[in-house]
Amino acid sequence: MTLDREAAISCRFRDLVTGPYQVHEVIWDLFADHPDRKRDFLYRAELTGRDPVVYLLSARKPVYEGNVWNILSKPFHPVLQKDDLLNFRIRVNPVVTKTEPDPDRKRIRHRHDVIMDAKRRLNEANSSFSMSDLVQQESVRWLRQRSEKGGFSLYEDRVIAGGYRKMQFSQGRKKNTISISVVDCDGVLRVTDPDLFLQMLCNGLGPAKGFGCGLMMVKRAAV
């Protein structure tokens, strides 16, 4: 999805997309053909640069009748083999789920930001650290832990993780505040199981897929 030139000049785009939740609504509207429809798409929005663009991977073609976006669709049928080398790019919400007791002596599962979790441990131990190194280390660790089930292995010395930030927005009529941390990762991987890898590409990796995380974009890597 690229921005229509006239929409860019008239600022119609900025009126529609005022935050992460509005982006989520714009994308959802392309596929919401009935109220009970479940999400069957992934997306990554790059809206802060000179040429805003949204990358989509969906089971159905998007339906759009507005005048803000230009949408180009094409089939996605990658031919993958074991040991293929691929460059990848992915925006992730790196969290870990922990089971913790609450005051009623019940055990509740909570998601924790892995980077803030590691930062807290280091602070408690009075250990010095670089935030950029922490983002790199914990993000690569998070990807590695999901690589086997995703049908790939990482070339860890060729992975760069950065752009760590928190997105906060209100959702629904009650205006519940949601906070999501995101990291952008670029690197090289090797396909270990083509079927699992294709399944991961189509289903996404990690949580917050409805808010622009989990879409892994790939292309052939130079040997």
Side-chain angles (χ1 to χ4, degrees), residues 12-28:
R12 276 179 285 153
F13 160 70
R14 298 299 175 191
D15 292 338
L16 285 174
V17 181
T18 57
Y21 190 69
Q22 286 68 36
V23 177
H24 161 85
E25 289 184 315
V26 166
I27 304 302
W28 184 266

Side-chain angles (χ1 to χ4, degrees), residues 23 43 49 87 89 97 106 111-112 118 144 158 193:
V23 177
Y43 74 93
N87 292 319
R89 171 173 291 182
T97 302
K106 297 178 180 178
R111 285 179 173 175
H112 293 265
R144 184 200 314 131
R158 298 173 69 180
D193 186 316

Side-chain angles (χ1 to χ4, degrees), residues 32-197:
D33 53 349
H34 62 76
D36 297 327
R37 172 67 72 177
K38 294 184 178 180
R39 182 186 54 77
D40 56 355
F41 60 87
L42 301 165
Y43 74 93
R44 173 173 175 150
E46 301 286 359
L47 305 179
T48 57
R50 184 174 181 179
D51 299 309
V53 61
V54 178
Y55 301 98
L56 288 165
L57 179 63
S58 61
R60 297 169 289 132
K61 292 185 68 172
V63 177
Y64 180 65
E65 298 177 351
N67 56 6
V68 173
W69 298 99
N70 297 315
I71 301 180
L72 173 65
S73 298
K74 61 181 180 179
F76 180 68
H77 300 298
V79 178
L80 299 167
Q81 295 182 351
K82 186 177 179 180
D83 294 327
D84 278 352
L85 293 182
L86 303 174
N87 292 319
F88 74 89
R89 171 173 291 182
I90 187 169
R91 178 167 294 155
V92 296
N93 171 220
V95 297
V96 62
T97 302
K98 295 184 178 182
T99 302
E100 301 169 336
D102 74 351
D104 296 328
R105 297 185 179 180
K106 297 178 180 178
R107 300 189 69 81
I108 299 178
R109 293 168 66 83
H110 291 286
R111 285 179 173 175
H112 293 265
D113 178 335
V114 298
I115 294 164
M116 287 295 103
D117 205 43
K119 181 180 178 181
R120 175 186 55 78
R121 293 195 305 271
L122 290 170
N123 283 333
E124 289 176 351
N126 292 320
S127 300
S128 60
F129 61 92
S130 159
M131 193 63 189
S132 60
D133 289 343
L134 191 63
V135 171
Q136 174 75 18
Q137 174 184 312
E138 294 303 320
S139 299
V140 171
R141 188 202 309 274
W142 187 89
L143 285 173
R144 184 200 314 131
Q145 291 171 344
R146 286 150 184 80
S147 62
E148 184 176 355
K149 290 184 178 180
F152 66 95
S153 62
L154 293 172
Y155 284 78
E156 296 189 17
D157 60 341
R158 298 173 69 180
V159 177
I160 298 175
Y164 173 77
R165 59 204 180 277
K166 285 187 178 292
M167 300 191 304
Q168 289 188 329
F169 50 90
S170 298
Q171 180 184 26
R173 295 179 180 178
K174 295 182 179 181
K175 299 297 181 181
N176 296 325
T177 300
I178 295 178
S179 179
I180 297 174
S181 59
V182 299
V183 177
D184 291 331
C185 300
D186 298 73
V188 179
L189 60 78
R190 179 173 63 87
V191 177
T192 56
D193 186 316
D195 291 335
L196 282 179
F197 188 73

